[in-house]
Structures are given as C-alpha cells and as structure tokens.
Amino acid sequence: MEKNVVVIGGGPAGTTAAISARRYYPNASIKLIRQEEKVLIPCGIPYVVGTVRFLEKNLIPDTVLSKNNIELIVDEVTSINKEAKTISTITHNTISYDKLVLATGSSPLVPPLQGLDLDNVFVVKKEIEYLQKLLDALDKAKDVVVIGGGFIGLEFADECKKRGIQHVTIIELLHHCLLLACDEEICKRVEQKLKERDVNLLTDKKAESILGTKKVEHVQLKNGERVKADVVILGIGVVPNVELAEKAGLKVDKKAGVWVDDFMRTSDEGIFACGDCAEKRCYLSGTPVPIWLASVGTTEARIVGANLFTTRKRMECAIGIFSTCFGDLAVGSAGLTERRAKELNIDVVTSTITAPDKHPGGIPGAKELGVKLTFEKDTGLLIGGQVYGGSSVGELINFIGALIQHKMRADEIATFQMGTHPMLTASPIVYQIINAAEIASTRR
Ligand SMILES: Cc1cc2nc3c(=O)[nH]c(=O)nc-3n(C[C@H](O)[C@H](O)[C@H](O)COP(=O)(O)OP(=O)(O)OC[C@H]3O[C@@H](n4cnc5c(N)ncnc54)[C@H](O)[C@@H]3O)c2cc1C
C-alpha cells in the first residue's frame, strides 16, 4: 500500500523532513504544506540588509521539492483531526495522512514594551513583504537601534553598517553581547570588533519603552538615557509555534515546544515534530533548552524522515552549535560554556590554545585561531568548546560538536589523529584542539 506523508511547514525542518522521507520511502506520496509562496533562507535574513541586498536572492529554491517528487501546497492548516488522521486548511480542503510531520517553526518573541506599535519598529519575521518594509525603512534611516545582543541582533547591526547607516546602536540587557552562547573573553573580542566597525554597544542596559508620535523617535532606557532611533529592530528570541498541536490535543509546553520522544514522535503515534516547534533537551541534564537553530532542526528532520514508518534513528538531544562572523573575525560555540557549566554546578577544567591557522605563521593570510575546550573534571568528558579566528571556525566548531556528541574525553582527543598542511591548518605541533585536550587532561 502507498504510504501517505503530510508535512506542515516549508522552513528548513519541514523541507528536510520531506526530502529525507523521500530517501527512506521512495514510493511514498509526500505533500508539504506551507503558508508562504516563497520561503526565505532564515539564516540569510540579516545578510539581505547589507551583503545580499535583495530578498529574492535569499530563497530556498522550490526545486529541492520538485526534484524529490514532493507535492507543494501553499495553504494554511487550521486543524488536525488525529483520530480521523486528517488535516483541514483555510481553503476548506481536508487532506488525509498516514504520518503527519509538524514543522511549524517559531515566531519572534515580542516583549511587553510600550511603543511597539509605532511605525518603523520591527521584529525579525521570516516574511518577504514584512522584511521589504524593513529594508525600505532602513533606506531612509540615519539612526538604527537593535534591541538584543544575541547573534541575530549583532548580525543585523553589522549589516546595517554595511548598508551605510550612520549610527547603529545595540542595546543588550546582559553584561556582554553573545553571553548566552560564549564565555566573556570571546564576547569581548566580538564587542571589540563591532566597535572597530563603528557599531555602538550599550550593554548592561534595559530598553524600557519605545517613544515617538506616529513613528519611532527614541528608545528609552531604564537608566533614563534616550537613544535616537529612526528604526528599531527587536531580536530577543523566538517562541515555538505550538497552537495547531495544542488544539489537536498533543502534549505541548508553550515555551519549550511540542513534546517529542527520542525518536521525534509526539504524544500521538501518527504525528512527528521537528525544528523550532519541537522541544529540545539538554544533552547533559535532559531538561528542555531554548536552542532554536536550523542546524538542530534539520538533524531532527532527518531523524523524522527515517523513522516515519520504521523506527531507525534516535535524536541525541540538542548540543547547540552555532557560529557567526563580523568582518575577519569568526566565532563559534558548541555545547556548554564554562560560565553555564558553573551555573549548573558542574566542576570543569578548561584549556585555551591560540596559534596561527597556517604554518609557518608568517604565511600570507595566516590568522590567529583560538580554541577553548571545557571538560567535566571528574570524567574528562568534553562538554563545550568555543573557537575564534578566520573562516575555518565554521567547520572547526562543527568538528568540536561531533566530539561532544560522541562523548569523547580529554585523553582520547589528545591522541586524535589529524591531517595538517602549511596552507590549510595549524602546525601539528601546536594544533589547537589536541593541545587544549592534552593540557586539560594533565590538569584533572
Ligand atoms: C535572522 C535569523 C538568523 C538565523 N541564523 C541562523 C543561523 O545562522 N544558523 C542556524 O542554525 N539557525 C539560524 N536561525 C534559526 C533558524 O532560522 C530556525 O531555527 C529555523 O528557521 C527553524 O526552521 P523550522 O523549519 O523549524 O521553522 P520555520 O523556519 O519557522 O518555518 C516554519 C514553516 O511552517 C509553516 N507553517 C507554520 N504554521 C503553519 C500552518 N498552520 N499551516 C501551514 N504552514 C505553517 C510556515 O509557513 C513556515 O514555512 C536564524 C533565525 C533567524 C530569524
């Protein structure tokens, strides 16, 4: 009998789940339903401001669906009847399924700030028309205020400078930007780089309200200061889209997402969930964690695709691996920071190694590459890593993520075999990950 799969959501998770389902179940009928005609690459949204410039150049091509024989339906799903195994859409279609995948994503977190309804105040929606209005407003702006110094806020701020905006200010509640993802010493490097790139940073500051008559004019801080603003961009986080699942009677936590087991099954055996709408659990404590990343969502989606009709793969909890860059400085983080580990009362040993990313260090284009590894003291288990340097950071942090996922210990990593090349890597003598692990293993 032909298997009938319906995926709700056309973002990174829904698209990947549909493609994986095709690979594992070549004869299945697969439909993907999404609200948008065209889907933006969400991680590329900040780069539309300065680097890419046009929203149309930042799209997930629909050919990834057509090439995989996935039927695309643009519509909004309004309800799920899990007993009848059907969904209803806004155009009054009823579609049946054998297996349903929820990949309904997330929406921007909107804080209870006065003045949010003023013109030129934007959150980061993944919608073309909405973002076009932001771009149009930026074209007339001299003063832009970004509220939130996480990676999305910083990327927007840096891109606003690239667009030629005169004054760009970031307002961050915590002591440093990026502090939820990186340890202080790495945050400081990023802050220094942003200052060099003429971004104004106001850390340890709380935005209290947004002021203006029709249009935004200022952001009022709790300390009484006012920051001039023609445009305000809020990038303070997201909330999972769980309404459909909740209405259908699935187990849901409004903040954490749709509950899933280790095989990405929801509380109903015919329904799976993945991506930002699905709950993530910390790989150490097993408790829910707010890790909303396309990288994690697509890993979950591949597990969903594999498990739809036969249980094949298990999700190893969410490690949370991220990277970003500002000019020639890239930073990445995987797993727990030293700070977070200490908050969780985990006794840690850390080691940081810095060396050129080519050898000899005088080779043209060589850059300083720093690796910090954090190990659990008792067991020597790698629980976190951070990297800063040039463009190799993006892949190096993924490698560290794999070491964490595979539960490697300091003494094992210290004797890891690596390949090195003068033009491509650090010298084998100073190779950062291995030296950091070797030193940490002697400190335990
Ligand atoms: C500016 C920005 C930068 C980011 N940068 C990075 C990065 O560098 N790296 C990274 O890993 N992550 C990044 N992220 C996070 C990443 O974008 C999200 O984790 C990712 O988009 C989640 O994918 P998703 O498919 O779960 O959900 P979404 O992308 O939110 O997609 C949800 C989909 O569900 C559909 N949908 C929802 N409800 C319905 C309904 N009722 N009926 C029909 N369709 C429905 C929507 O139409 C949409 O197609 C960034 C996010 C933003 C906003």
Side-chain angles (χ1 to χ4, degrees):
M1 199 181 68
E2 193 181 71
K3 296 176 168 77
N4 179 13
V5 178
V6 174
V7 178
I8 309 175
T15 304
T16 306
I19 294 171
S20 288
R22 169 61 65 229
R23 289 180 183 149
Y24 286 96
Y25 307 99
N27 301 319
S29 146
I30 305 174
K31 297 185 182 70
L32 183 144
I33 309 179
R34 67 178 198 221
Q35 284 166 300
E36 317 83 347
E37 277 292 338
K38 295 175 183 176
V39 183
L40 287 162
I41 298 171
C43 316
I45 291 173
Y47 299 97
V48 170
V49 172
T51 306
V52 178
R53 296 276 167 158
F54 301 100
L55 287 154
E56 292 287 331
K57 289 191 176 173
N58 182 50
L59 299 175
I60 301 179
D62 283 341
T63 46
V64 296
L65 301 176
S66 54
K67 270 193 207 157
N68 285 289
N69 190 19
I70 294 158
E71 184 187 345
L72 170 63
I73 301 171
V74 177
D75 205 340
E76 183 181 331
V77 178
T78 48
S79 63
I80 301 165
N81 182 336
K82 56 186 180 11
E83 285 73 35
K85 290 198 159 191
T86 58
I87 56 169
S88 301
T89 73
I90 211 156
T91 58
H92 305 296
N93 267 335
T94 300
I95 300 169
S96 59
Y97 64 83
D98 295 322
K99 299 290 175 180
L100 180 67
V101 180
L102 291 178
T104 50
S106 60
S107 300
L109 179 66
V110 183
L113 272 186
Q114 197 193 318
L116 284 177
D117 52 345
L118 290 169
D119 286 353
N120 287 0
V121 178
F122 296 89
V123 289
V124 186
K125 291 190 187 176
K126 295 167 240 171
E127 291 170 17
I128 292 185
E129 295 75 19
Y130 182 87
L131 290 169
Q132 189 56 54
K133 284 186 192 143
L134 166 62
L135 295 182
D136 294 344
L138 287 175
D139 280 337
K140 294 174 211 127
K142 281 194 180 139
D143 297 271
V144 173
V145 172
V146 177
I147 301 178
F151 70 97
I152 292 175
L154 300 194
E155 288 169 4
F156 264 104
D158 195 48
E159 287 290 307
C160 283
K161 285 306 298 182
K162 278 195 202 158
R163 200 175 179 91
I165 289 159
Q166 267 175 312
H167 306 116
V168 179
T169 303
I170 294 169
I171 299 172
E172 167 54 48
L173 188 65
L174 299 177
H175 195 48
H176 286 288
C177 294
L178 282 190
L179 200 55
L180 296 179
C182 297
D183 282 317
E184 201 172 291
E185 65 274 23
I186 311 250
C187 300
K188 282 182 181 167
R189 283 179 184 270
V190 172
E191 288 173 345
Q192 181 55 36
K193 179 56 72 179
L194 285 167
K195 282 180 196 160
E196 283 167 24
R197 292 164 75 81
D198 202 24
V199 174
N200 183 27
L201 297 180
L202 298 177
T203 51
D204 256 333
K205 302 280 186 304
K206 183 167 188 206
E208 202 165 54
S209 56
I210 299 172
L211 308 174
T213 40
K214 186 168 178 305
K215 202 166 88 42
V216 56
E217 288 162 26
H218 290 96
V219 175
Q220 172 79 52
L221 306 185
K222 193 163 181 235
N223 67 2
E225 242 179 284
R226 276 184 182 187
V227 187
K228 202 164 176 293
D230 305 316
V231 170
V232 170
I233 302 170
L234 284 114
I236 58 161
V238 298
V239 283
N241 294 332
V242 297
E243 300 74 14
L244 263 184
E246 195 178 23
K247 248 180 27 182
L250 299 179
K251 191 173 162 193
V252 156
D253 177 311
K254 278 199 166 88
K255 277 192 187 158
V258 181
W259 178 88
V260 281
D261 65 10
D262 289 354
F263 307 99
M264 304 312 296
R265 298 177 297 208
T266 68
S267 51
D268 182 274
E269 57 156 6
I271 307 178
F272 292 71
C274 55
D276 282 6
C277 72
E279 184 179 292
K280 324 276 172 243
R281 286 185 284 277
C282 170
Y283 64 99
L284 277 181
S285 65
T287 53
V289 276
I291 297 177
W292 314 121
L293 287 169
S295 49
V296 175
T298 50
T299 302
E300 293 171 344
R302 289 177 210 283
I303 291 168
V304 167
N307 286 352
L308 285 170
F309 296 93
T310 308
T311 303
R312 293 182 162 101
K313 289 180 192 280
R314 179 188 286 269
M315 179 70 198
E316 299 279 346
C317 293
I319 295 168
I321 306 166
F322 98 99
S323 49
T324 189
C325 62
F326 305 99
D328 59 356
L329 175 68
V331 294
S333 179
L336 294 191
T337 59
E338 180 182 1
R339 176 173 170 268
R340 183 69 190 134
K342 286 181 175 161
E343 281 169 4
L344 294 172
N345 291 321
I346 300 172
D347 202 5
V348 295
V349 52
T350 70
S351 174
T352 302
I353 297 291
T354 304
D357 60 3
K358 302 184 196 307
H359 58 286
I363 279 199
K367 279 188 63 66
E368 185 188 44
L369 178 70
V371 172
K372 173 176 181 174
L373 298 181
T374 301
F375 297 93
E376 194 176 44
K377 195 165 184 182
D378 283 355
T379 59
L381 194 69
L382 179 66
I383 59 170
Q386 289 160 71
V387 185
Y388 65 86
S391 57
S392 58
V393 162
E395 295 305 341
L396 200 53
I397 200 63
N398 287 343
F399 173 55
I400 292 174
L403 300 180
I404 297 172
Q405 183 174 341
H406 290 281
K407 303 187 171 34
M408 297 208 62
R409 297 190 320 267
D411 54 347
E412 292 169 322
I413 299 169
T415 52
F416 214 84
Q417 298 185 33
M418 79 323 243
T420 57
H421 184 274
M423 301 297 277
L424 299 174
T425 70
S427 134
I429 299 168
V430 296
Y431 199 82
Q432 292 88 339
I433 292 179
I434 288 171
N435 278 278
E438 188 177 60
I439 290 171
S441 64
T442 63
R443 288 186 184 152
R444 290 180 50 225

